[in-house]
Amino acid sequence: MAPNLKTIGTYLLNVLLPRTCVHCALDLHYLEGQPLCPGCRGSLEPIPKPCCAVCGLPLDDGGRDCYDCRGAAPRALKLARSAFVFNAQLRSAVHAFKYRGRRDLSGFLAREMTLALDRYPELDAYNFSAAVPLHPARLRRRGFNQAELLARGLGARGNIFYLEGAAVRTRDTKSQTTLSKEERRVNMTGAFGVVKPELVKGRNILLVDDVATTLATLESLAAELKKAGARNVAAFTLAREP
Ligand SMILES: [Zn+2]
Ligand SMILES: [Zn+2]
């Protein structure tokens, strides 16, 4: 078979920019088109089951809900699930994707998310997706919204219709990495607004993001979507950090 233009393009790109595994730096063959070498890809860890029926965290004690979700007040976010544990290999891939301009990683990561979605039939009813929006200032710095690329990739493969621009970020919230759970909740309150309520009304919406930690960001956005008339809101992220 004659090599097509895309293959030639990929080859040329790799002659100019040799590809190595984003985690262990092993040299990769140009035709593989994968950001992780087979060993590192095989090290991606699906979220172990059983997991909390609400927040999706792995459970040690075999109950239905985790300690935090048991008896908690109802949340706007009906349930949350993630594809993988945020381990070292996935961390390297997400870091390259978000902070080193490797926009091309979105295809690989969205494909992994699509495969993982099969493990969660409880998300089957969610036929529409929305990405966690970035503040315009951050979007300008990064050049793309990683959550949007993942949501679009998931939509293309998983028959989930992407609702473009349904919500916006109204505040450029500070980084959450050093904040406590309660501080994160306060930090995210009122951070989003729904600008196209007609897109969300009466629909079951899957919020897509790269990494979830306390779910404060997703809960804040889910609350706005519910106020705008969404029927149910769930979240699906690439990675989960307890
Ligand atoms: Zn590797
Ligand atoms: Zn839980």
Side-chain angles (χ1 to χ4, degrees), residues 20-26 28 35-41 89:
T20 55
C21 171
V22 293
H23 182 64
C24 72
L26 190 83
L28 299 175
L36 289 167
C37 70
C40 288
R41 189 194 168 288
Q89 288 79 7

Side-chain angles (χ1 to χ4, degrees), residues 5 52 93 115 143 145 180 225 242:
L5 278 176
C52 172
L115 295 171
N145 176 358
S180 72
L225 292 168

